[in-house]
Amino acid sequence: MVTSALLLTCASAIIHPASDERIMYGFEGALEQNWLPRELAGWPAPFLADSGETSVPHQIGPEDDFRPGPFVADLGFWALVTLGVMRLWRVLRR
């Protein structure tokens, strides 16, 4: 169960939810041109966030910011979903 929850949590990184977070990409030109929407990954709580200092803008990669709190929340969510599906399967098998 834990393995499938961890797999589903990591797989949820392909989901990029909409966010109003903004981050500064560069220092050239007008200030308002550099504050762009931040790309996030993970669902239901985004646990990866695009880093403006070391990242390619608007792409999630291994160099981006990892958020452990939302990762644990996602892991708990997917563990509950997995447990629910397993219990439903047992009921339907009878």
Side-chain angles (χ1 to χ4, degrees), residues 48-83:
L48 289 173
D50 194 23
S51 173
E53 296 89 31
T54 61
S55 180
V56 176
H58 303 292
Q59 286 187 348
I60 298 294
E63 75 281 354
D64 291 322
D65 298 329
F66 175 73
R67 299 173 174 176
F71 182 80
V72 171
D74 281 359
L75 185 61
F77 171 79
W78 289 112
L80 287 174
V81 168
T82 303
L83 181 64

Side-chain angles (χ1 to χ4, degrees), residues 81-94:
V81 168
T82 303
L83 181 64
V85 167
M86 287 171 52
R87 291 202 177 194
L88 181 63
W89 178 254
R90 284 185 194 149
V91 168
L92 292 175
R93 253 186 17 194
R94 288 184 182 180

Side-chain angles (χ1 to χ4, degrees), residues 6-63:
L6 183 61
L7 180 66
L8 288 169
T9 302
C10 293
S12 76
I14 63 171
I15 299 172
H16 299 272
S19 171
D20 59 348
E21 284 188 44
R22 295 176 106 41
I23 191 166
M24 186 171 213
Y25 291 105
F27 298 101
E28 297 174 0
L31 186 63
E32 61 272 359
Q33 291 176 341
N34 294 324
W35 283 95
L36 300 172
R38 186 178 208 178
E39 190 75 27
L40 301 173
W43 189 87
F47 58 87
L48 289 173
D50 194 23
S51 173
E53 296 89 31
T54 61
S55 180
V56 176
H58 303 292
Q59 286 187 348
I60 298 294
E63 75 281 354

